[in-house]
Amino acid sequence: MTDTDTTLFDFDNTYRHELGDLGVEWKAAPVPSPRLVVLNERLARELGVDPAALRWDAGVAVLAGNAPPAGAEPFAMVYAGHQFGGYAPRLGDGRALLLGEVIDRAGRRRDLHLKGSGRTPFARGGDGKAVLGPMLREHLLGEAMHALGVPTTRGLAVVTTGEQVRRDAPEPGAVLTRVAASHLRVGTFEYAARVDDPTLVRRLADYAIDRHHPAALDADQPYLALLDAVIDVQADLVARWMLVGFIHGVMNTDNTTISGETIDYGPCAFLERYDPAAVFSSIDHGGRYAYGNQPAVAQWNLARLAETLLPLIGDDLDAAAEAAMALLVALPDRLRDRWAAGMTTKLGLERAPAEDVAALADDLLALLREHRLDYTSSFRAVADVLRGDEHPLRTLAGDDATALGPWLERWVGLVDATGRDRSAVADGMDRVNPVVIPRNHRVDEALRAATDGDLGPFERLLAAVTDPFVLHPGDERLAEPAPEAFTATFQTFCGT
Ligand code: AMP
Ligand code: MG
């Protein structure tokens, strides 16, 4: 390798070759002066590339879209999607490109994708560009979610382009390199099912089975098994979102993956005080994608997937619909079971009776809601109570801490009944309940500073949220809930 060599990745591009009708060959728009802002060195190594090579000019040119890496076959993918319930027949990568697929060191196939790489035939009215703040946001939130154990696409790098891009005001242009298990979306199936080629949706489904859910091939009805498998990974995903207090903000079907990874960190946010009605997105006026609605929305989105698969499931469409419906109807219970299993570890009750745990978790949430308590901090504070330290709970809840008394008594009773040592249980809880999450006010502060040229706050926040279960000295302010006045007016924007 030399510093002008672009043989960075060992590409193996199956999507483009097998499903070339689901997109167009395309080139990234050149940019004037690319500069590397953040590089995910660990992820680079996972992909089998030397991080140093990505820091060289030739590497940065690749990450900016100025030079396709050797072996890449840049491709703008097409898809459709239901956005806030309305159908958009042709969305697609308006400002993004699939560079190709790489087999990582663990043998997993990963997509390498540029976001902000110029207009494509799917750009509609958009400028094809991205700006620094939102691309750093996607990078940060993805890394935080990964550290929390939530399946997600991830940022490999963010570069600035040297251009100013007009949003409300001119902002630094940027390109994000995204790594994903794939970019197959429910919206990809919606597109494929409506084109004038009856083989397309079948080829797409076969591809999805092969790439993500190979066990479906052994089932009596592979396409029904594919639906079942996607429902399963999405139920697991949304249960994990609920457990960490994540609000995706724009759960359209084009942002719902077949792999079960979180994708597209636009107007997302983490909960502060517990409130199922919490919405931060500036465009979600009706609260369709509110925190507490996410399980129901997942079910709605997967029903859209089911519709595209019915003709593959069987010639008798009524029977196919009945079989698909049975899976969809069971989704809420599946999701609730995953959630309850997660709550069991959050509350340190792995050895307690499951019914007791579920009731206790529901009662805790009712108390958090009633007393407007911070979701994330509450789990750490109750673990401290178990250690005999009520101070964090008092700091968090003030006089309302007393209202938690009867609940705490029941909970400690259940913990003691398991026969485990109280402080060992508290330590176990601290290993699954984060102390630092990307809180809205801190993310906002870090992105503003980065846009003004100071990356310090972003780097500190990234380091803290990627080691989320440990409070490092000096990071105390990153763990504190936002002032209520901030949260009451805070909005995230799609204008990315
Ligand atoms: P998103 O909200 O990021 O999921 O994007 C929804 C759709 O709008 C996708 O088809 C994007 O490619 C497209 N899009 C978003 N921003 C732009 C932009 N600045 N230029 C072109 N297309 C865009
Ligand atoms: Mg999207």
Side-chain angles (χ1 to χ4, degrees), residues 79 115 178 185 254-255 263-264:
Y79 49 84
K115 185 166 180 175
R178 177 158 82 183
R185 309 149 189 266
D254 51 303
N255 293 335
I263 197 170
D264 273 3

Side-chain angles (χ1 to χ4, degrees), residues 136-496:
L136 288 179
R137 191 163 206 282
E138 172 150 349
H139 187 95
L140 180 87
L141 270 292
E143 288 311 285
M145 293 285 269
H146 178 70
L148 292 168
V150 183
T152 179
T153 67
R154 298 180 63 190
L156 175 64
V158 178
V159 296
T160 47
T161 60
E163 282 174 331
Q164 291 288 305
V165 174
R166 193 135 202 111
R167 291 296 180 255
D168 283 339
E171 294 193 37
V175 177
L176 168 79
T177 305
R178 177 158 82 183
V179 176
S182 84
H183 285 81
L184 297 184
R185 309 149 189 266
V186 169
T188 317
F189 280 80
E190 292 180 284
Y191 180 88
R194 285 166 177 85
V195 300
D196 197 18
D197 173 0
T199 73
L200 186 55
V201 72
R202 183 183 296 270
R203 284 188 284 128
L204 177 61
D206 289 341
Y207 182 89
I209 289 173
D210 185 50
R211 185 156 173 183
H212 295 299
H213 304 293
L217 213 50
D218 300 328
D220 287 345
Q221 298 194 14
Y223 302 110
L224 188 65
L226 170 63
L227 176 63
D228 188 36
V230 179
I231 288 175
D232 198 64
V233 291
Q234 282 288 333
D236 186 70
L237 179 67
V238 176
R240 288 175 190 271
W241 290 357
M242 301 307 283
L243 288 163
V244 299
F246 177 76
I247 309 164
H248 184 282
V250 60
M251 278 179 80
N252 294 330
T253 55
D254 51 303
N255 293 335
T256 304
T257 58
I258 300 304
S259 66
E261 283 184 343
T262 310
I263 197 170
D264 273 3
Y265 293 89
C268 61
F270 274 77
L271 269 184
E272 292 274 323
R273 62 184 170 75
Y274 182 75
D275 177 9
V279 171
F280 291 102
S281 165
S282 63
I283 57 168
D284 191 0
H285 305 298
R288 180 182 173 93
Y289 299 142
Y291 172 73
N293 283 357
Q294 296 184 122
V297 174
Q299 187 183 34
W300 193 91
N301 288 347
L302 291 162
R304 306 289 76 75
L305 175 66
E307 285 162 1
T308 72
L309 294 174
L310 293 185
L312 303 182
I313 291 172
D315 292 335
D316 178 347
L317 282 187
D318 288 338
E322 207 174 303
M325 191 58 89
L327 295 177
L328 288 164
V329 165
L331 182 145
D333 280 346
R334 228 190 242 200
L335 200 153
R336 165 105 188 155
D337 287 349
R338 301 287 167 83
W339 176 84
M343 270 294 166
T344 305
T345 48
K346 281 176 85 66
L347 293 172
L349 292 171
E350 290 89 337
R351 294 190 208 157
E355 327 75 77
D356 293 351
V357 178
L360 200 77
D362 286 337
D363 292 347
L364 175 62
L365 294 184
L367 286 164
L368 298 188
R369 183 180 188 179
E370 183 184 345
H371 298 286
R372 308 165 66 83
L373 299 185
D374 185 79
Y375 178 74
T376 301
S377 307
S378 292
F379 288 92
R380 297 289 288 218
V382 298
D384 285 328
V385 172
L386 205 55
R387 296 187 179 95
D389 178 7
E390 298 212 350
H391 183 71
L393 186 64
R394 296 252 157 230
T395 308
L396 186 72
D399 292 342
D400 288 336
T402 322
L404 264 65
W407 183 90
L408 287 166
E409 219 167 281
R410 263 169 72 205
W411 172 59
V412 174
L414 272 183
V415 171
D416 287 346
T418 66
R420 294 174 66 200
D421 173 64
R422 285 186 183 180
S423 60
V425 171
D427 291 349
M429 289 172 66
D430 283 358
R431 285 194 288 273
V432 296
N433 293 315
V435 62
V436 190
I437 52 164
R439 292 186 181 272
N440 300 320
H441 61 313
R442 296 303 173 213
V443 174
D444 208 48
E445 174 183 277
L447 299 187
R448 278 175 204 275
T451 300
D452 292 340
D454 175 12
L455 279 170
F458 173 82
E459 286 166 353
R460 276 195 293 284
L461 185 58
L462 181 63
V465 299
T466 49
D467 191 11
F469 304 108
V470 180
L471 187 59
H472 294 281
D475 284 349
E476 292 76 8
R477 59 191 290 282
L478 300 179
E480 282 164 16
E484 271 221 28
F486 179 93
T487 303
T489 57
F490 180 73
Q491 286 198 319
T492 53
F493 292 91
C494 248
T496 54

Side-chain angles (χ1 to χ4, degrees), residues 79 83 91-95 123-124 126-129 167 254-255 264:
Y79 49 84
Q83 302 185 309
L91 294 167
D93 292 332
R95 51 153 174 185
R124 296 172 291 160
D127 62 4
K129 303 289 181 181
R167 291 296 180 255
D254 51 303
N255 293 335
D264 273 3

